[in-house]
Amino acid sequence: MTELVGQGVARVDGRAKVTGTARYAADNEVSNPLHGFLVMSTIARGEVTDIDTRAALAHPGVVQVFTHTTMPRFRTVPGFPYNRTFIPIQDARIHHSGQPVAYVVAETLEQAQEAAALVKVRYRTEKPTARLDDALDEAFLPERFREKPNEVERGDAEAAFARAEVRIQQTYTSPMQHHHPIEPHTTTAVWNDSGLTLYESAQGVMLTRIAVTNAFRDADGNAPNIRIISPYLGGGFGAKGPTYPHTLLTAAVARELRRPVKLVLTRAQMFTSNGHRAEYRHRIQLGATRRGELTAIVDTSTAQVTRTDERIFNTSDSALNLYTCPNIHVRQLGVRLDLPTSSYMRSPETTAHFGLETALDELSYELGIDPVELRIRNHRTIVNPNDEEGRPNDKYLLECYRAGAKAFGWSRRNPKPGTTRDGDEYVGWGMATETHTYAVNPSQAQIVIGVNGRATVRAATQDIGTGTYTVLTQVAADGLGMPLGHVTTL
């Protein structure tokens, strides 16, 4: 039988997607649902002094309006992968603009939206700070997050930089950036005698299950049985990896009202409810020999954090691990601002990695060394820590450099800026190394072969648009020696 892995095949979910039968989280039909809508804070710092819900409660179809005085209480704030150190609508405190302050529930979505506009909120305001430049003098070194230090030193990078034959010193900046996948965040919560089912727009169903389970543990540590259903995802870009407050609030409201509740965030609410890439400053200093060998990397980044947490998601792993250098000093500083908590965003290292790679290009220009050759000279070979013989964990990066250079005709590149044109337009030829951190967790899959000889693969994953079901089906069919059409992945 022809090997299926690596072959071009028709997407197994293609027909469902083009015909509209693929069910995304908000498409799932449940019996007799209520619809939720969030009322968001219009101030960035302070506290709620009064909420008048009378007009909203009198609106047709409205079932309840939950505020910080009536919202069901969570015993504790769930840990990772929950994206906040607080749950909103539990007290009067406002930590950022666009924070939920009330949860309206009605028979229809339109009724919930109309009633939300009738909720009147009064605040005691405090002066907020929302720009990194306004508080750079308050930068601090956060404590460790999940055992990853925010400061690492190898050798004496400052001294090595001072005596380096060639020195590059640059500062790079990156603005706040937001996720906005086509499918907004959505939660439908259904409670029954067997526990809680959440139809959720989640990139990691097991991570979501952990966060929700922790949120609903009782004083004795017991938690309800929780099931997360997310077969298709309309884009995520990292935004749908963590769990956010709206998920927990919807589940709590559904349990209180004893009916299913569906919530879909609006496009405007997405800006403050599901994380973002933090505003970022990156100062990098490279020291090198005239042959282009790195002797020092001093990497200092400053990112927005909040007044309630210290998580930094744009890490400097590239500076620590990508190139051979005997002297490295990495510091990841935070500045507390009155903004929502940031989060992962499509390749979380992008901002820090951009600075390092751009500075290397500056170094290559200063030395007159080709950018590809400069990276080859500083290639780092990593020994596999699990290999008893100490053999290197080859990432095939050198082969990638050479193959890419050949494919793009790199040898024809003129390194002098402004010399390559296509008609009236200047053309720039550039290159960069990309690296991405990852974590490995134990995982399982189940394959059931029926009496008809066909196989069903079950795995706790979802298709985010990249062909997950097709790839898993190919792997299973290849391993089982079955035709592709005889395997179904759920």
Side-chain angles (χ1 to χ4, degrees):
M1 180 178 176
T2 304
E3 290 186 1
L4 290 170
V5 174
Q7 298 299 313
V9 299
R11 289 278 292 261
V12 299
D13 56 352
R15 180 176 292 275
K17 287 186 172 180
V18 299
T19 58
T21 59
R23 289 187 178 267
Y24 293 80
D27 296 332
N28 289 279
E29 297 180 1
V30 297
S31 176
N32 196 27
L34 294 168
H35 294 266
F37 196 83
L38 295 173
V39 179
M40 314 300 263
S41 166
T42 57
I43 70 168
R45 185 177 182 182
E47 65 180 10
V48 175
T49 59
D50 181 66
I51 299 184
D52 186 348
T53 62
R54 289 172 295 179
L57 286 168
H59 192 72
V62 172
V63 175
Q64 185 58 276
V65 179
F66 292 93
T67 70
H68 67 276
T69 62
T70 58
M71 176 65 72
R73 291 295 185 262
F74 294 88
R75 189 176 63 86
T76 59
V77 176
F80 179 83
Y82 180 66
N83 189 251
R84 302 286 192 273
T85 54
F86 72 98
I87 300 176
I89 322 184
Q90 298 287 288
D91 58 37
R93 189 68 195 171
I94 300 299
H95 300 287
H96 62 85
S97 179
Q99 174 184 316
V101 294
Y103 195 121
V104 179
V105 187
E107 295 292 342
T108 70
L109 173 60
E110 292 77 12
Q111 291 169 339
Q113 290 173 325
E114 291 164 0
L118 300 176
V119 176
K120 294 181 173 59
V121 186
R122 294 180 179 176
Y123 304 95
R124 179 186 63 78
T125 61
E126 301 173 20
K127 184 179 179 180
T129 303
R131 296 177 64 242
L132 203 60
D133 285 343
D134 294 338
L136 284 175
D137 57 344
E138 300 174 12
F140 70 103
L141 187 69
E143 296 181 2
R144 294 185 176 193
F145 170 54
R146 298 190 73 203
E147 302 305 317
K148 178 179 283 189
N150 285 317
E151 183 170 27
V152 177
E153 292 185 77
R154 298 175 188 162
D156 190 338
E158 281 76 8
F161 176 77
R163 62 175 180 265
E165 294 176 345
V166 180
R167 292 187 292 271
I168 296 294
Q169 181 170 298
Q170 296 287 348
T171 298
Y172 304 96
T173 63
S174 175
M176 183 187 297
Q177 297 171 323
H178 292 271
H179 315 84
H180 270 279
I182 292 176
E183 177 199 31
H185 285 245
T186 177
T187 299
T188 301
V190 182
W191 288 89
N192 53 38
D193 293 340
S194 61
L196 169 65
T197 298
L198 285 177
Y199 298 94
E200 183 78 12
S201 53
Q203 283 181 246
V205 293
M206 296 306 294
L207 292 177
T208 302
R209 186 184 182 202
I210 291 170
V212 177
T213 298
N214 290 337
F216 284 92
R217 290 191 188 278
D218 60 24
D220 298 321
N222 301 313
N225 181 48
I226 293 173
R227 185 183 182 202
I228 311 296
I229 298 177
S230 181
Y232 292 102
L233 209 64
F237 315 113
K240 295 174 182 174
T243 302
Y244 298 96
H246 67 270
T247 298
L248 307 185
L249 295 172
T250 302
V253 166
R255 184 168 65 174
E256 180 77 6
L257 298 178
R258 299 180 181 276
R259 282 180 64 181
V261 176
K262 176 182 288 188
L263 176 78
V264 180
L265 295 184
T266 68
R267 191 59 65 184
Q269 290 170 348
M270 293 273 287
F271 280 99
T272 61
S273 301
N274 67 310
H276 59 272
R277 177 175 285 152
E279 187 182 1
Y280 197 80
R281 297 289 183 275
H282 191 194
R283 181 171 180 265
I284 189 160
Q285 298 166 280
L286 300 181
T289 67
R290 298 216 171 267
R291 292 195 68 258
E293 296 161 339
L294 288 171
T295 59
I297 299 176
V298 183
D299 184 301
T300 304
S301 61
T302 307
Q304 167 246 321
V305 296
T306 74
R307 300 195 188 279
T308 59
D309 64 71
E310 300 181 349
R311 297 180 179 180
I312 292 177
F313 293 90
N314 298 321
T315 60
S316 299
D317 292 355
S318 299
L320 291 170
N321 301 313
L322 186 54
Y323 298 111
T324 296
C325 183
N327 303 289
I328 299 176
H329 186 188
V330 167
R331 300 180 77 219
Q332 298 174 156
L333 305 178
V335 172
R336 295 195 185 281
L337 300 178
D338 299 295
L339 292 171
T341 301
S342 65
S343 185
Y344 310 103
M345 185 172 184
R346 192 160 205 144
S347 188
E349 311 83 2
T350 293
T351 48
H353 187 70
F354 166 82
L356 175 64
E357 287 299 289
T358 307
L360 275 171
D361 282 349
E362 297 285 354
L363 179 62
S364 73
Y365 184 79
E366 180 72 20
L367 293 169
I369 298 175
D370 181 84
V372 176
E373 177 59 28
L374 179 65
R375 288 162 173 84
I376 291 174
R377 293 184 187 185
N378 290 283
H379 177 268
R380 184 184 182 201
T381 300
I382 301 175
V383 175
N384 187 341
N386 299 317
D387 193 315
E388 295 180 356
E389 299 181 16
R391 288 173 293 190
N393 186 6
D394 200 333
K395 51 187 179 287
Y396 301 102
L397 184 54
L398 293 177
E399 287 85 345
C400 289
Y401 285 142
R402 295 181 178 113
K406 181 179 179 180
F408 281 87
W410 189 258
S411 61
R412 302 193 304 272
R413 170 182 175 268
N414 188 333
K416 186 178 180 180
T419 57
T420 305
R421 301 174 67 114
D422 182 4
D424 294 333
E425 297 181 343
Y426 291 103
V427 177
W429 279 26
M431 61 83 57
T433 309
E434 179 55 83
T435 182
H436 183 47
T437 56
Y438 67 95
V440 177
N441 294 314
S443 60
Q444 297 177 344
Q446 181 188 71
I447 297 179
V448 177
I449 300 178
V451 293
N452 60 359
R454 295 174 180 262
T456 300
V457 180
R458 289 185 171 87
T461 187
Q462 62 287 307
D463 178 75
I464 196 171
T466 53
T468 302
Y469 295 137
T470 302
V471 172
L472 292 179
T473 301
Q474 283 181 282
V475 171
D478 191 85
L480 295 170
M482 289 184 176
L484 193 70
H486 287 198
V487 178
T488 301
T489 300
L490 301 177

